[in-house]
Amino acid sequence: MTIGIIGSGALGSNLARILAKNGIAATISNSRGPASLALLAEELGPSITAGTVEEAASADVVFAAMRWSVAETVLGRLPAWKGRIVVDGTNPVEFLDPNSPDANDPSNPLAAYGIKAVDLGGKYSSEVFRQYVPGARVVKAFNHLDVNVLPEPEVSGGKRVLFYSGDDAAAKAEIRKIIEATGFFPVDLGTLDVGGPLASLPFGSLAAHSFVKI
């Protein structure tokens, strides 16, 4: 089963790192093209290939690791998904310019973290996200932890918990295998309607909590 990663920021690059650490092949991409990823690919070794967004999107399992603000545009340009698996690693937050008035907005409880929540009109993020990838089997995963701890799945004598949810049992089983293969402990939160809101940053009740299975 082939794996593609769209996005090479903190999430995409750390996903590539944990896959490479476990010898799992993947193609990583960004909007700037493969040449911009040469140093990262060299760092990670032969299991990680730099490719175009289209090449990464053609994989059997595609990790959406871009910022929420560009997700609709990036994914909307791609061919039909035809039942392939898309892992929604996005969160509905907007990153703030530290010099903007928004960065000091007292009504924004997240201003101190340099972000603000995106108004989704009462919907949860995966509900919106799956509209961007019609025909895909969407699994929500790899989004609720601080991206900086992803390369360290084992801690304190146990394994970090990774939540995942989705509406297709076979798709979830494939993502569970990847979670286990990268050293995490998978916890199934059920359907997207249930698990999506629970694990989505910034206000999901299970988001940003780093549980460890001992």
Side-chain angles (χ1 to χ4, degrees):
M1 181 163 285
T2 56
I3 296 174
I5 303 170
I6 303 177
S8 62
L11 176 57
S13 61
N14 280 319
L15 278 170
R17 286 187 176 92
I18 61 174
L19 293 173
K21 181 179 178 180
N22 292 280
I24 301 171
T27 298
I28 188 169
S29 66
N30 64 20
S31 61
R32 300 182 299 280
S36 69
L37 296 167
L39 289 178
L40 179 63
E42 182 179 356
E43 170 201 335
L44 298 181
S47 64
I48 303 300
T49 302
T52 65
V53 170
E54 290 75 16
E55 288 169 338
S58 69
D60 301 314
V61 176
V62 180
F63 286 87
M66 72 287 291
R67 290 187 175 189
W68 181 267
S69 59
V70 301
E72 182 176 13
T73 300
V74 171
L75 296 169
R77 295 171 179 164
L78 296 170
W81 293 96
K82 297 181 178 179
R84 287 176 294 117
I85 300 170
V86 176
V87 179
D88 175 14
T90 67
N91 286 302
V93 297
E94 179 181 339
F95 291 83
L96 302 175
D97 180 340
N99 298 314
S100 70
D102 284 342
N104 298 297
D105 181 358
S107 68
N108 175 14
L110 305 172
Y113 302 98
I115 59 175
K116 71 175 181 179
V118 175
D119 183 359
L120 301 180
K123 297 181 179 180
Y124 66 92
S125 63
S126 287
E127 183 181 5
V128 176
F129 178 90
R130 63 186 171 196
Q131 297 173 5
Y132 302 160
V133 287
R137 294 180 290 162
V138 175
V139 178
K140 185 72 170 175
F142 289 92
N143 70 292
H144 67 90
L145 289 177
D146 181 337
V147 292
N148 295 309
V149 306
L150 283 177
E152 303 170 357
E154 297 182 3
V155 63
S156 301
K159 296 183 176 182
R160 292 190 195 277
V161 169
L162 264 184
F163 300 119
Y164 67 105
S165 58
D167 298 331
D168 186 283
K172 288 204 296 184
E174 293 298 336
I175 301 310
R176 183 184 182 94
K177 290 177 186 176
I178 293 174
I179 292 172
E180 291 174 332
T182 50
F184 294 92
F185 184 81
V187 173
D188 185 349
L189 295 181
T191 65
L192 276 180
D193 285 346
V194 175
L198 287 173
S200 180
L201 290 164
F203 300 126
S205 58
L206 294 177
H209 294 297
S210 184
F211 296 101
V212 177
K213 171 67 167 65
I214 303 297

